[in-house]
Amino acid sequence: MAIRYELIKECKQTGARLGRLHTPHGVIDTPIFMPVGTKATVKAMTPEELKEIGSEIILSNTYHLFMRPGPELIQKAGGLHEFMKWDKPILTDSGGFQVFSLGPLRKITEEGVEFRSHIDGSKKFISPEKAVEIQTMLGTDIMMAFDECAPYPADKDYVKKSLERTTRWAKRCKDAHKNTENQALFGIIQGGMYKDLREQSAKEIIDLDFPGYAVGGLSVGEPKDLMYEVLDYTTPLMPKDKPRYLMGVGSPDCLIEGVLRGIDMFDCVLPTRIARNGTAMTSQGKVVIKNAKYFEDFSPLDPECDCYCCRNYTKAYIRHLHKENEILGARLLTIHNLKFLLDLMKKVREAIMEDRLMDFRNEFFKKYGYED
Amino acid sequence: MAIRYELIKECKQTGARLGRLHTPHGVIDTPIFMPVGTKATVKAMTPEELKEIGSEIILSNTYHLFMRPGPELIQKAGGLHEFMKWDKPILTDSGGFQVFSLGPLRKITEEGVEFRSHIDGSKKFISPEKAVEIQTMLGTDIMMAFDECAPYPADKDYVKKSLERTTRWAKRCKDAHKNTENQALFGIIQGGMYKDLREQSAKEIIDLDFPGYAVGGLSVGEPKDLMYEVLDYTTPLMPKDKPRYLMGVGSPDCLIEGVLRGIDMFDCVLPTRIARNGTAMTSQGKVVIKNAKYFEDFSPLDPECDCYCCRNYTKAYIRHLHKENEILGARLLTIHNLKFLLDLMKKVREAIMEDRLMDFRNEFFKKYGYED
């Protein structure tokens, strides 16, 4: 068995859980946020820097690595861990979300998805079997089943057909998955914003018996309250002895609200992407560093943070670096934003342990502000 | 006295010297290469990373900092060292080279140079007094006199007038320079590619008695052999008890040939710029990482290098990062190239100490190749 989830504690007032996930590359504490290293690198960061800020697991994208440099090269390098010199756990998505996002460039059939490469326009094909094959070659600790992520909004008929295909594809992924000793395969629950369809998908996917389950098809443009509502009725359907992963979610409010509803794992490009665009998440709320008011601000980005950026540099200097498009600016903001989310999850875990998660949540939002 | 040069040893066969330069922010061993941090950051590097690879002094550009964020802000921050958190020596150029490079956007008079900002088109003015004022506000250890760098080729009449103005400006810089206890002001010898004009400039500038002297107006497009010829007759005119700085030179061959001719200090954007463009300087010569032959090359960039990049990563991975325009690719190649030049200078210093500099030079070029 490639992974094992250990439930340590359940919150008395909410659905939150404290756990530990044992993987071939180490043990991680949940709930956890996974920084995204799309193309075999968490943008602007070294593996050592990721560890220094407390990253325990990262996510990488199968679609991008399939396109370039190709899973053959990464396999020859000894797998993704060795290729990028990251020796802790890695989770890969299935590539499904990216190929569906290609819009007119892709054609979906029962067999799989045919699409044109966004790089050179050449014809490519991903099926459930192919997604498992690629992820097997990458050698990641957790791979995801190839699913269809329905857009928002989508009518019920479409979502129903889509989730049923996702179930058939999940079955095919499971059948194709051989390396079960070293790599775990997670199933993905779809069903859009429809309660009965979520129930149907949850039942079908859980019946296939995966070592972990994701809630897919959320954070696709729907209002946050609707996402929370879907989680409210979906997570109680999920087994307590398996990890639960909410895909593509990474704003501080959504992390906390997700944990309250029983989610254990999250990933999102948000903290790294907005860092490169000059926005910091701080204990006082968002800081848009290019703003003129920071020109002469010699205070740290976040007075409550002890990351490398906040220990050493002023807002005035970071603003200067950002305005001049200097790489160090992107580096410092990336370090800070990731540390902010990783620290947030650490505090969330401590709050669960000490039965004060709701207090922590309310206190956090009072300072950070609640985003709609 | 802000700086003191200590001559440790002169090479018996060549003009090379081993020395030590004492500055307000520490002692540096010469001959030395200074990484360039144009806009208050050595592109892609943190101060800690610079120290780890052995940087003892960096250069920053007065023109760029004058434009943005402005010397007033940096002064308020406590000076350039504090602003960018670099506590070792900093040398700033005078801004002259950059404003002269503006071409039609600038007007030279005896008083100084009027020009249009490359950022917002606003009118700006730099005179010798202004250059000293800005560098005083920056608080750097070594500031440079405001000079006129004649282009190549340039006719003799023009170069003569230009060097004579440079002398008058050097005098005005010296008169304007008050903070002599904490900041040293270097004079710059001009004179183009004309022996008698170099002699005239050297005499005039040295008569003004600066604590250090630069050879300016080289590496401006002339053949390397011509540069070496100018050095051959210029450096013997320079005092032995003062440091000698060759401005804007940073290819491995020019560093070695410059040292042979008695130069102690060098700076250049070359190693950092070509790093970002995907070229590495290695003990086996240049490596253009995007080349297809490195696609499956799992060996380090330079087998003889022990930098962070070469200790950890393969050419195949660095190539992937570079092709994907990932920041980590620029970081790794920058670390390597700077370490390569800093190590080269360390080996040069050891070779001078052990009276085998010519052997070292010949051995180096056999492997690296000699660039014309």
Side-chain angles (χ1 to χ4, degrees):
Chain A
M1 193 66 169
I3 68 157
R4 181 170 63 83
Y5 175 75
E6 186 187 344
L7 178 62
I8 293 174
K9 176 169 180 157
E10 289 181 289
C11 181
K12 289 186 179 102
Q13 309 155 307
T14 72
R17 310 131 47 85
L18 198 68
R20 225 177 261 137
L21 191 61
H22 301 256
T23 84
H25 286 85
V27 182
I28 63 181
D29 295 309
T30 60
I32 199 162
F33 175 77
M34 305 183 280
V36 177
T38 296
K39 299 174 179 177
T41 168
V42 174
K43 288 189 194 299
M45 300 284 288
T46 63
E48 290 77 10
E49 288 167 344
L50 283 168
K51 287 181 191 173
E52 194 192 316
I53 59 172
S55 310
E56 296 193 22
I57 174 172
I58 62 170
L59 177 143
S60 199
N61 293 108
T62 292
Y63 170 78
H64 294 87
L65 298 178
F66 178 43
M67 295 294 99
R68 280 206 300 217
E72 296 79 9
L73 179 74
I74 293 175
Q75 188 176 42
K76 272 188 195 166
L80 186 55
H81 292 89
E82 182 62 25
F83 185 57
M84 67 181 290
K85 300 292 168 181
W86 171 256
D87 58 10
K88 291 187 172 235
I90 305 177
L91 180 151
T92 35
D93 65 2
S94 68
F97 184 79
Q98 278 79 21
V99 296
F100 288 108
S101 307
L102 291 172
L105 293 170
R106 49 94 173 135
K107 203 178 89 187
I108 310 171
T109 65
E110 183 63 22
E111 183 52 26
V113 183
E114 193 182 274
F115 60 99
R116 297 262 174 199
S117 157
H118 72 282
I119 295 167
D120 60 7
S122 64
K123 258 192 201 171
K124 302 277 177 185
F125 184 74
I126 297 188
S127 61
E129 292 76 14
K130 184 74 188 174
V132 168
E133 183 194 334
I134 298 169
Q135 294 179 86
T136 302
M137 292 168 82
L138 298 177
T140 48
D141 300 82
I142 301 171
M143 55 170 93
M144 300 302 298
F146 190 67
D147 64 329
E148 183 181 343
C149 176
Y152 174 82
D155 68 56
K156 200 166 175 179
D157 256 19
Y158 176 87
V159 175
K160 187 171 162 67
K161 279 185 190 131
S162 168
L163 85 84
E164 288 169 354
R165 178 149 59 201
T166 289
T167 298
R168 293 191 295 276
W169 284 0
K171 174 82 169 61
R172 283 167 57 190
C173 283
K174 201 173 175 198
D175 292 343
H177 177 218
K178 304 299 177 204
N179 189 21
T180 51
E181 263 316 299
N182 302 307
Q183 297 181 278
L185 173 67
F186 279 19
I188 303 175
I189 296 166
Q190 291 288 351
M193 313 300 158
Y194 302 98
K195 184 161 189 271
D196 53 339
L197 298 188
R198 283 282 169 186
E199 286 165 354
Q200 179 186 344
S201 180
K203 184 178 185 323
E204 291 177 6
I205 296 293
I206 292 162
D207 276 352
L208 291 174
D209 190 22
F210 290 99
Y213 298 95
V215 183
L218 291 180
S219 196
V220 291
E222 78 283 7
K224 286 185 179 178
D225 281 346
L226 185 51
M227 175 170 91
Y228 300 149
E229 193 190 312
V230 173
L231 289 177
D232 277 334
Y233 55 66
T234 304
T235 50
L237 308 170
M238 300 168 80
K240 287 199 169 181
D241 60 345
K242 304 281 174 72
R244 304 161 178 175
Y245 163 30
L246 177 56
M247 305 179 82
V249 165
S251 67
D253 51 348
C254 290
L255 292 183
I256 293 175
E257 296 295 336
V259 168
L260 289 174
R261 289 161 176 84
I263 296 295
D264 307 306
M265 302 164 72
F266 303 86
D267 81 284
C268 196
V269 295
L270 186 80
T272 43
R273 180 171 290 166
I274 67 174
R276 296 194 305 284
N277 293 332
T279 298
M281 299 167 170
T282 80
S283 58
Q284 268 80 45
K286 278 190 186 164
V287 168
V288 178
I289 202 69
K290 72 169 179 225
N291 286 349
K293 66 177 166 182
Y294 301 123
F295 178 72
E296 270 188 32
D297 188 332
F298 298 120
S299 69
L301 201 51
D302 187 343
E304 294 182 19
C305 178
D306 66 349
C307 79
Y308 171 75
C309 171
C310 293
R311 283 200 316 272
N312 290 285
Y313 301 95
T314 62
K315 290 196 195 76
Y317 182 60
I318 302 164
R319 180 180 187 276
H320 164 70
L321 294 176
H322 177 70
K323 294 280 282 184
E324 295 293 333
N325 207 19
E326 286 285 354
I327 286 174
L328 184 56
R331 290 181 60 185
L332 296 179
L333 288 171
T334 300
I335 288 171
H336 171 77
N337 278 357
L338 285 178
K339 179 93 164 44
F340 181 78
L341 287 191
L342 293 164
D343 280 358
L344 173 63
M345 296 309 272
K346 196 174 169 213
K347 289 173 197 160
V348 161
R349 291 194 298 269
E350 288 165 1
I352 299 172
M353 182 55 97
E354 295 162 14
D355 290 314
R356 50 174 181 78
L357 183 59
M358 281 309 288
D359 292 345
F360 174 81
R361 169 194 179 276
N362 297 337
E363 200 60 39
F364 178 83
F365 286 126
K366 218 181 286 169
K367 285 176 75 180
Y368 189 83
Y370 196 85
E371 299 168 51
D372 293 316
Chain B
M1 193 64 169
I3 68 157
R4 181 170 62 83
Y5 175 74
E6 186 187 345
L7 178 62
I8 293 173
K9 178 171 178 157
E10 289 181 290
C11 180
K12 290 188 179 98
Q13 308 156 307
T14 72
R17 308 129 51 84
L18 198 67
R20 223 176 263 137
L21 190 61
H22 301 256
T23 84
H25 286 84
V27 181
I28 64 181
D29 295 309
T30 60
I32 198 161
F33 176 76
M34 304 183 280
V36 176
T38 295
K39 298 173 180 178
T41 168
V42 174
K43 287 187 193 304
M45 301 284 287
T46 63
E48 290 76 11
E49 288 167 345
L50 283 168
K51 286 181 189 172
E52 194 193 316
I53 59 173
S55 309
E56 298 193 22
I57 174 172
I58 62 168
L59 177 142
S60 199
N61 293 108
T62 292
Y63 170 77
H64 295 86
L65 298 178
F66 178 43
M67 294 294 100
R68 279 205 303 214
E72 295 78 10
L73 180 74
I74 294 175
Q75 188 176 42
K76 272 188 197 165
L80 185 55
H81 292 88
E82 183 62 24
F83 185 58
M84 66 181 291
K85 300 293 166 180
W86 170 257
D87 58 9
K88 291 186 171 237
I90 305 177
L91 180 151
T92 34
D93 64 2
S94 68
F97 184 78
Q98 280 79 20
V99 295
F100 288 109
S101 307
L102 290 172
L105 292 172
R106 50 92 175 137
K107 203 179 90 187
I108 310 172
T109 64
E110 183 63 21
E111 183 50 29
V113 183
E114 194 182 274
F115 60 99
R116 297 260 175 202
S117 158
H118 73 282
I119 295 167
D120 60 9
S122 64
K123 257 191 198 169
K124 301 278 179 185
F125 184 73
I126 298 188
S127 60
E129 292 77 14
K130 185 74 189 174
V132 168
E133 183 194 333
I134 298 169
Q135 295 180 85
T136 301
M137 292 168 82
L138 298 177
T140 47
D141 300 83
I142 301 170
M143 55 170 92
M144 300 302 296
F146 190 69
D147 65 328
E148 184 181 342
C149 176
Y152 175 83
D155 67 56
K156 199 167 175 179
D157 255 18
Y158 176 87
V159 175
K160 187 172 162 65
K161 279 186 191 129
S162 167
L163 85 84
E164 288 170 354
R165 179 150 58 201
T166 289
T167 298
R168 292 190 297 275
W169 284 0
K171 174 81 169 57
R172 283 167 56 190
C173 283
K174 202 175 173 197
D175 292 342
H177 177 220
K178 304 299 177 201
N179 189 20
T180 51
E181 263 316 299
N182 301 307
Q183 297 183 278
L185 172 66
F186 279 21
I188 303 175
I189 296 166
Q190 291 288 351
M193 313 299 158
Y194 302 99
K195 183 161 189 271
D196 54 338
L197 297 189
R198 284 282 168 186
E199 285 165 352
Q200 180 186 346
S201 180
K203 182 174 185 326
E204 292 178 4
I205 295 294
I206 293 163
D207 277 350
L208 292 174
D209 190 22
F210 291 99
Y213 298 96
V215 182
L218 291 180
S219 197
V220 290
E222 79 283 6
K224 285 184 180 181
D225 281 346
L226 184 51
M227 176 171 88
Y228 300 148
E229 194 189 310
V230 173
L231 288 178
D232 278 333
Y233 55 66
T234 303
T235 50
L237 307 170
M238 299 167 81
K240 288 199 168 180
D241 59 346
K242 303 282 175 70
R244 303 161 179 175
Y245 163 30
L246 177 56
M247 306 179 81
V249 164
S251 68
D253 51 348
C254 290
L255 292 183
I256 293 175
E257 296 295 337
V259 168
L260 288 173
R261 289 161 178 84
I263 296 294
D264 307 305
M265 303 164 74
F266 303 85
D267 81 284
C268 195
V269 296
L270 186 81
T272 42
R273 179 171 291 165
I274 68 174
R276 297 193 305 283
N277 292 332
T279 298
M281 299 168 169
T282 80
S283 58
Q284 268 81 45
K286 277 191 186 162
V287 169
V288 178
I289 201 69
K290 71 169 179 222
N291 286 348
K293 66 177 167 183
Y294 301 123
F295 178 73
E296 271 189 31
D297 187 333
F298 298 118
S299 69
L301 200 52
D302 187 343
E304 294 183 20
C305 179
D306 66 349
C307 80
Y308 171 76
C309 171
C310 293
R311 282 199 318 270
N312 291 286
Y313 302 95
T314 62
K315 289 197 195 75
Y317 183 60
I318 302 164
R319 181 180 185 276
H320 164 69
L321 293 175
H322 177 71
K323 294 278 282 183
E324 296 293 334
N325 208 19
E326 286 286 354
I327 287 175
L328 184 57
R331 289 183 59 185
L332 296 178
L333 288 171
T334 300
I335 288 172
H336 171 78
N337 278 357
L338 285 179
K339 179 93 161 48
F340 181 78
L341 287 192
L342 294 165
D343 280 359
L344 174 63
M345 296 309 272
K346 195 174 170 211
K347 289 174 196 159
V348 161
R349 291 194 298 268
E350 288 164 1
I352 299 172
M353 182 56 96
E354 294 161 14
D355 290 313
R356 51 175 180 78
L357 183 59
M358 281 309 288
D359 292 346
F360 173 82
R361 170 193 179 278
N362 297 336
E363 200 60 39
F364 178 83
F365 286 125
K366 220 182 282 168
K367 285 176 75 180
Y368 189 83
Y370 196 84
E371 300 167 50
D372 293 318

